Structure formats: C-alpha cells, structure tokens
Amino acid sequence: MALVHEESSHGIFSGPRHDWTREDVVALFALPFPDLMFRAAQVHRENFDSAEVQISTLLSIKTGGCPEDCAYCPQSAKYDTGVQAEKLMSLDAVLAEARAAKQAGASRFCMGAAWRSPKDRDLDSVCAMVEGVKALGLETCVTLGMLTGPQAQRLKGAGLDYYNHNLDTSPEYYGAIITTRTYQDRLDTLEHVREAGIHVCCGGIVGMGEGLDDRVGMIATLAGLPQHPESVPINMLVRVEGTPLADERALDPLDFVRTIAVARICMPASVVRLSAGREDMSEETQALCFLAGANSIFYGPKLLTTPNPERDRDMRLLDKLGMRPMT
Ligand code: SF4
C-alpha cells in the first residue's frame, strides 16, 4: 500500500489515517465543492495515476432467490421483481465468461452469488471457479454473503484475491434497509476475510433515502476499520420496480460526487469504485467522479441483474477523457 501524507488531528504523519472522526468527515462534506474536488484530486494523484481506471467485470454466478431482505435488491426472494431464481452456473460457463471479459480488457473478474452464506458444497464449486479464473491471469473477487473463518480460509487456499462484502450504509440507517442480518454480522465477515489474508472490497450504496449523516457514518466506519478496504465500491441506488426502494427520490448527482471525493480523501490508497448506477449517470457526472478520485468501474452490459453502460460507450467515454484502462 502506498505511503501517503495526510493531515491528522495529531499533525502530519505517513500512512493512511484510521482516526477519522465523524466531525472530520462532516467537515469534508461541508467544504465548498471546488475545494473538496481539489483536495480529492490531489490525494488521488499522490497515490495513483489519475488517468488510469481499473476495469472489472462482474458476473452473477447464482442469480435470485436470496433469503435476505436488502431493500434495494432485486434478487431478494421477498420481493416480486421478475428476477427468476437460477442454479449455480457451471464451471465451464463461468470460465467462458471470464475469457470473454479478459479479451474485452478486464483485469479483474468478480463473481457474485445471491446467498445468505455459502453452503460448504457450494464453496467447493466456487473454489474451482476461483482457481480457473486465476489460471487465465485475471484477479479474482467473489461475493457470496456471510462467511465463517474456515470458509474464508478455504477461499484463500483456492487463491482468491478479493472478497466483496459491503457495509451498505451507516450503522444507524442500516436497520431501515436490512433486517435479516446485522451490521455486526457484516463486520464479523470482514474480519474473517482479513484474518484469512484476502483483500477486502467493501463499500456501500447512496440514494437509499439516507441523510448526509448516514453518508458520513458509512465513510467514517469504512475509514475507521483497522485496515482500509483495498477496494471501496460506491454505488448509486438503482431503483428497481418491486423493491421497497423503487420509488425513492433520486439523489442529486453532486451529492454522489461528493461522497466519492470524501471516500478518496479518507481512504487515499484504496481503489474507489464507481459501481452500480452508472447506467443513469451522465458522462459529465462520471467525469466528475473520476476527477473526485474514482479509479475503477464495472464494465459490461449487466451488473448482476441491473443494466450497466455498454462496453463501447465506456471505452468512448474513457477515450474522450484521455483516460485508459489500468493494466
Ligand atoms: S444484496 Fe445480496 S444478500 Fe442482499 S438480498 Fe441481494 S443477493 Fe441477497
């Protein structure tokens, strides 16, 4: 992890800060927009090549029928969203998708399964997928729900690079979004993943009706973890018909950009990922997100079950901005 120089409440020190208070984070959100963008862009340049964007591909290897009740999710069996429950994909089918993703320029291949937590026999199949995708020369990431310590160790043994498990929102707002698992359950899974030596991918979703305080709480919690997640996806809610959040008021895009900028400043050496919600985002908003320090996007026509900008459109946008995929 790159060393960074950041002001802390105790002066200047090297290394990412872990002592961000909510007040610190509130103060960042309250900065005049140009100052916030300037500071985020500065931190970005100290840690990354600002013209590079990591391209990841996300494949749903087991879609729908999830017993959890995440209010934003079309894959929950509790909501009638038209998403059909499917079985776990075969190894061959997953590897064919991974090869296609690599050919299209992806350097990381993420696989998502709509489970509360994986059963041990499912984990055998997922471990084989991880081994196969790694053998193609791609970084691997999976998101399978809650994990026990031994399950995390098994995934590590298969060579898994990243595990995604989002905190979703602030601890205070969490109960309005999910009731079937607790915030602490999520923190426990993150700890198992860390203990197994797997990189952590952890972020959240904005535009779910939360207040500014909740966006503050989410980032303060992420930045206060003993080690910052190496990858921080920030999603804009995709309002899906049939989910409880279908009619939620759209978040002002500038509030989304601010959230990206604050995440960049608080977690300077993490890859900040512009995730769900890009389909409805203007090119100008996406460009502002890159300026604010976002340096990863998901690429491909679908993000699990929701639409994502077409590959060509993404490449045209990167070209237009003089940016390029991270190798
Ligand atoms: S977000 Fe994940 S855990 Fe929650 S309902 Fe959807 S698939 Fe299930």
Side-chain angles (χ1 to χ4, degrees):
M1 181 176 284
L3 275 189
V4 290
H5 295 276
E6 268 292 302
E7 291 164 39
S8 85
S9 46
H10 316 298
I12 303 283
F13 73 102
S14 292
R17 276 182 60 180
H18 296 266
D19 63 346
W20 291 100
T21 64
R22 290 206 180 200
E23 291 68 33
D24 294 334
V25 181
V26 167
L28 288 174
F29 270 103
L31 282 172
F33 190 76
D35 295 350
L36 175 62
M37 295 297 278
F38 179 72
R39 198 163 154 192
Q42 239 177 350
V43 170
H44 188 189
R45 277 154 188 74
E46 283 164 12
N47 292 278
F48 294 97
D49 180 337
S50 59
E52 287 194 341
V53 180
Q54 185 196 54
I55 308 287
S56 302
T57 295
L58 176 58
L59 175 69
S60 179
I61 57 171
K62 194 272 162 208
T63 303
C66 182
E68 302 294 284
D69 70 350
C70 310
Y72 51 82
C73 183
Q75 301 203 65
S76 168
K78 315 234 186 251
Y79 315 130
D80 186 8
T81 61
V83 172
Q84 301 297 325
E86 291 170 15
K87 284 205 205 107
L88 183 63
M89 283 174 72
S90 71
L91 176 62
D92 285 350
V94 170
L95 293 184
E97 295 276 351
R99 272 185 219 104
K102 189 176 178 190
Q103 240 170 8
S107 53
R108 185 186 297 184
F109 192 70
C110 309
M111 295 169 270
W115 288 319
R116 172 174 167 79
S117 53
K119 295 190 184 70
D120 285 342
R121 70 163 188 278
D122 294 327
L123 212 57
D124 291 338
S125 307
V126 175
C127 285
M129 291 173 189
V130 168
E131 284 164 6
V133 172
K134 267 199 88 89
L136 297 174
L138 287 161
E139 269 192 338
T140 51
C141 177
V142 296
T143 180
L144 314 172
M146 293 187 286
L147 283 189
T148 62
Q151 288 179 324
Q153 297 288 350
R154 284 186 58 199
L155 286 166
K156 175 67 183 174
L160 182 68
D161 298 300
Y162 282 80
Y163 193 81
N164 164 265
H165 200 61
N166 290 334
L167 287 177
D168 283 356
T169 186
S170 67
E172 294 77 16
Y173 195 60
Y174 182 84
I177 301 297
I178 299 125
T179 66
T180 47
R181 65 171 73 150
T182 66
Y183 212 73
Q184 189 56 49
D185 287 334
R186 291 189 184 246
L187 292 168
D188 291 346
T189 291
L190 293 176
E191 205 178 308
H192 297 321
V193 171
R194 270 280 173 238
E195 276 169 4
I198 300 169
H199 293 320
V200 170
C201 172
C202 181
I205 308 174
V206 297
M208 299 195 292
E210 78 286 344
L212 174 59
D213 280 358
D214 299 305
R215 292 193 279 282
V216 167
M218 177 177 87
I219 292 189
T221 306
L222 289 167
L225 289 171
Q227 198 177 331
H228 292 165
E230 283 79 5
S231 172
V232 181
I234 304 288
N235 299 276
M236 176 82 109
L237 174 70
V238 178
R239 291 165 292 172
V240 179
E241 205 56 52
T243 63
L245 298 181
D247 299 322
E248 197 50 63
R249 205 164 53 89
L251 186 77
D252 185 325
L254 291 180
D255 287 331
F256 183 77
V257 176
R258 278 183 185 277
T259 309
I260 296 269
V262 174
R264 163 55 61 221
I265 294 167
C266 294
M267 292 168 278
S270 303
V271 169
V272 175
R273 174 166 303 147
L274 193 49
S275 297
R278 279 199 312 122
E279 173 73 10
D280 293 330
M281 241 175 245
S282 70
E283 289 193 343
E284 292 81 356
T285 301
Q286 293 186 58
L288 279 175
C289 288
F290 293 136
L291 188 61
N295 59 347
S296 173
I297 55 171
F298 276 116
Y299 193 60
K302 260 191 171 187
L303 250 188
L304 293 177
T305 61
T306 57
N308 199 40
E310 296 290 338
R311 290 183 165 129
D312 287 356
R313 197 159 23 122
D314 283 335
M315 287 322 279
R316 273 201 305 274
L317 176 60
L318 289 187
D319 267 356
K320 220 196 260 192
L321 299 174
M323 298 176 74
R324 57 184 183 276
M326 204 181 272
T327 48

